[in-house]
Amino acid sequence: MCGIIGYTGKKNAAPILVEGLKKLEYRGYDSFGIATADGAISVIKKEGRISNHAGNAGTLKGTRGIGHTRWATHGIPNDKNAHPHTDCTNRIALVHNGIIENYAELKRELIKRGHVFRSDTDTEAIVHLVEEEYAKQHDLPEAVRAAVSRLKGSYALLVLASDEETIVAARMASPLVLGIGDAETFIASDITPMLEYTERVIFLDDGDIAAVTRDDVSIYHNCERVERPVELIDWSVEDGKKGGFAHYMVKEIYEQPQVFYNTIRGTDDASLPDYYRMKDPITIVACGSSYHAGMVFKYLLEECCQVPARLDYASEFRYYPSPASGLVIGITQSGETADTLVALRLAKAHNCHTLAITNVLGSTVTRLADTTFYMRAGPEISVAATKSFIAQLAVLMQIINKFCGNNHSDTLLDAHTAIEEVLLMDISETVALCENARSIFYVGRGPFYPVALEGALKMKEISYIHAEGYAAGELKHGPFALLSDKTPVIALCMPGETYDVMISNIKEMKARGSPVIAIGRNGDTNLPEICDVFIPLPGANIFTQILTATVVLQLIAYHTAETLGRDIDRPRNLAKSVTVE
Ligand code: G6P
């Protein structure tokens, strides 16, 4: 995790770095720091979030600098472990995103040679290695190349030296993108900090080392000079702003009708690899919300297309026998989740065809997978996934549609209108039941089981209320012991073959004293009778029912967290992009 940024140009670097780091905070936010070069290296770094208290970080002088926002791995979050880290001479500063697996061995070696360490991080070893190499040859790109050749693990790093115009960037398994402006160059973990300055970007590859000045970028790979394409990005600056909403999360929830529609349109003529027509095995790997989207897909694939699929947490994939052939789909909003990347690499090694579903142009997964389908969600800033989840469902539903000979095209093209209706609903009664809950159970069956899992995940992430998603039939196998008037149950009860058994389940839960909030089809006459709150959803088909139920659960989590005054966009202990295994 962690977000890094570099700037070199004609302007003062510090204010640009501070604003850029605020946009990268979704990658971690337990401490921050920046370093600028203005004759000497100046560093300001602190525990806490830059968006809460940047202090005087923006006042540093110098037209080139680097910055970092941290999600701690090695060393607790405090001032001394915050990046940038500097060498013994204070002439070199470095920021790093990733993990150096052999840092303990390197550290011992460096200490023996007289280096003094001032932090508990793995990163500090790198800056001392660069220091040694730079002393030998006074060539910063070459010194960084020699230093990184000693590293095992993952890194995106930026190196700034007091007597060099060049900032050096290096990448291995952590993202890094260059923004080419007008006499200024940006380097960052993603494109969001550079959106307001340029639309021309270069994505670095693993193993690349870039020497960056304000007017020039030279990229080296295996000591050879290489060219990487300049790509144009189509995310707008406005996409990255709150636009009058109280939080990014609610803004992103309200963008969902458009996001769903754009993604359906954007994937309409996506050509599916032959694998879709062959009935080869399909495996889905993902983490977090993306895993829940994968589970919805698995149910729909089996129900609508009679195609069986295997679904694994990406982090568990390697512990089961890998599929020997077929298609492996990696779903990852960021395109950078380490476990999903590892799973896809393993799948490739077993000769499977790999398909990535991602939101981020140029992200690592797009370089790894044989085929990529893009979601059209635009930048998602809030840590809790909302519009990216809906966009994943759009891509996955489009795949189902293709499988079924485009039979569902009209339904999918119209589904955004049902999402719009849900956004207007009043859910205050539900929020009143949830805000004082000790625990909340979310239950559903079939494809509504993963929707329940996703609803519970949203609630626990942002409200800090314990919430569990359960397959409705499982609740009586243990969790019933927890039911009481302080444990509301949110039941997804849609028409269809599971309806009657869901009604029985709801009655059982009511009989144990739990308030029940039922989410069902508009016009249902049973549910209002037996439940404390009934939320009627528009949507006459399985696709819109899944989408609208998802959105209602997002709203319930959001408004509960809002009532409790939680830090909705930056929940404690989390990061949006988990780039460590
Ligand atoms: C983190 C985020 C989740 C996300 C998961 C997978 O845990 O907080 O919101 O669902 O990573 O991320 P990905 O980028 O692979 O979809």
Side-chain angles (χ1 to χ4, degrees), residues 26-43:
Y26 73 88
R27 305 179 63 86
Y29 35 84
D30 53 41
S31 58
F32 68 90
I34 66 172
T36 57
D38 186 27
I41 297 277
S42 311
V43 177

Side-chain angles (χ1 to χ4, degrees), residues 286-291 331-338 340 380 382-385 388 392 454 457-458 461 574-578:
C287 304
S289 294
S290 300
Y291 176 84
I331 309 171
T332 165
Q333 182 279 129
S334 62
E336 303 293 347
T337 298
T340 309
E380 188 177 65
S382 179
V383 165
S388 65
Q392 286 168 344
E454 177 61 11
L457 180 64
K458 287 311 91 165
E461 271 181 302
L574 300 180
K576 188 164 188 65
S577 182
V578 181

Side-chain angles (χ1 to χ4, degrees), residues 15 43 62 79 94 201 284 422 425 449 460 504 534 541 570:
V43 177
D79 291 358
L94 179 145
V201 300
I284 308 149
V422 171
M425 280 182 170
Y449 165 46
K460 67 185 132 198
S504 305
F534 172 55
N541 59 70
R570 300 279 175 269

